Amino acid sequence: MFKSQLNLSFLFLQFLVLQFSSTVSAIRDNIGFREKTLCRTTVQGRYLLSDDNGYVCDALSVDPQSRCCPVKGEKFSCQGCNLLSQCCNSYEFCVSCCVNPARTQKEQVLKMKIAKPATAGNFQSVFDFCAGRCRHNSESVVHENAYLSDFHHCFSLRSNSSGPGVTQLETRLNGINVFIGRQGDSCDSVCKSKGQSCVVNKLLLLNQCDIIQKYFSCKGGCLASMGADQPAEVVDDAPSHLNPTACLYTRTQAMLSCDGSHRHTRRLCPCA
């Protein structure tokens, strides 16, 4: 009888030990707190913002604790962006498109200076670069008081004068014959004289200084301009205020046209 009671007491003691140890274990598992994810966001827009995860949302839908946009919709959205010029008509979507690792290389960005002076600091992250680069800059304005185009939020690492990879652009011109027109000719007339037609959507590909300089000498440099007669080169005997021998490209891409012409320029024309 005594031995039976002793065995029962021993089993009860083991049960208590097991219960206590599992409770302690559970408590210890819950001692640590999960690290909260905090987002950085743009603050320029009145209605929209972009977070450093690459999402765009309206200000009312931001998580009040994490400051992150809801994880829905397209990540790294390029809505309203021209991916060739890398310019957008919205600041927030410009930042969202820019922070995509496939578009902006972190190693390259972290080496860049925030401003031109040698004493200027470097960007600390891709988000810092994109948030700064997508704001307005001198390349997107004309006469210092108007925008060249609605697409004035640009995130390219380099300006148009050293634009996207030339090899890639030239590949997209496969099947296109590029001709230099005579002074005052439109691309419609240039292509027609060759028994071909002007391909208007290829004008955008030619509207790059690196491409233009392969066909013209551009002794007067490569300049941003406005007009339907571009890309083109200003003839030698043009009035001085028109920048003789300069090559011209336009940031107002909507103006590019096959029928545009100017009596003091020679056009670069895509024909097929």
Side-chain angles (χ1 to χ4, degrees), residues 211-231:
I211 296 292
I212 299 170
Q213 289 167 344
K214 286 183 172 292
Y215 296 91
F216 295 118
S217 61
C218 302
K219 294 178 181 177
C222 191
L223 308 175
S225 183
M226 295 183 70
D229 61 308
Q230 295 159 26

Side-chain angles (χ1 to χ4, degrees), residues 3-145:
K3 188 175 181 179
S4 174
Q5 288 179 338
L6 186 62
N7 288 335
L8 287 173
S9 299
F10 180 73
L11 290 173
F12 181 70
L13 182 61
Q14 281 186 317
F15 174 76
L16 289 177
V17 169
L18 287 172
Q19 285 291 96
F20 179 74
S21 62
S22 63
T23 303
V24 170
S25 176
I27 292 173
R28 285 179 177 172
D29 286 342
N30 293 322
I31 286 176
F33 294 98
R34 288 185 179 180
E35 186 177 344
K36 290 184 178 180
T37 301
L38 298 176
C39 290
R40 298 180 61 198
T41 60
T42 57
V43 292
Q44 180 162 318
R46 216 183 254 185
Y47 307 108
L48 297 177
L49 54 82
S50 176
D51 66 21
D52 54 7
N53 289 324
Y55 289 99
V56 176
C57 62
D58 62 83
L60 295 177
S61 64
V62 174
D63 186 292
Q65 295 183 335
S66 67
R67 301 301 301 163
C68 296
C69 285
V71 183
K72 61 181 182 180
E74 184 183 355
K75 188 175 184 179
F76 307 132
S77 175
C78 296
Q79 179 180 318
C81 297
N82 183 310
L83 297 182
L84 184 60
S85 65
Q86 296 184 325
C87 294
C88 310
N89 58 13
S90 160
Y91 173 69
E92 290 73 26
F93 283 102
C94 177
V95 174
S96 174
C97 191
C98 174
V99 296
N100 186 342
R103 300 191 186 284
T104 306
Q105 302 299 316
K106 182 178 180 180
E107 296 76 13
Q108 189 175 4
V109 164
L110 296 184
K111 295 177 183 177
M112 294 184 65
K113 294 284 187 182
I114 296 175
K116 288 184 177 180
T119 54
N122 295 76
F123 290 105
Q124 298 299 307
S125 67
V126 172
F127 180 76
D128 285 333
F129 165 79
C130 295
R133 183 64 178 164
C134 283
R135 290 193 177 93
H136 318 297
N137 56 72
S138 59
E139 293 180 0
S140 62
V141 297
V142 61
H143 305 311
E144 299 183 1
N145 61 2

Side-chain angles (χ1 to χ4, degrees), residues 133-209:
R133 183 64 178 164
C134 283
R135 290 193 177 93
H136 318 297
N137 56 72
S138 59
E139 293 180 0
S140 62
V141 297
V142 61
H143 305 311
E144 299 183 1
N145 61 2
Y147 294 119
L148 282 168
S149 164
D150 288 338
F151 294 82
H152 52 78
H153 301 285
C154 304
F155 60 88
S156 59
L157 288 170
R158 297 172 292 179
S159 66
N160 197 300
S161 60
S162 56
V166 177
T167 302
Q168 181 183 358
L169 291 175
E170 289 176 332
T171 300
R172 295 179 64 182
L173 286 170
N174 285 342
I176 298 297
N177 298 308
V178 180
F179 298 108
I180 297 174
R182 293 176 300 180
Q183 181 177 340
D185 278 355
S186 69
C187 280
D188 277 335
S189 61
V190 172
C191 294
K192 187 176 180 180
S193 69
K194 306 292 182 181
Q196 300 179 21
S197 299
C198 175
V199 185
V200 65
N201 63 348
K202 298 299 181 181
L203 282 170
L204 183 62
L205 298 179
L206 297 179
N207 189 46
Q208 312 284 335
C209 281

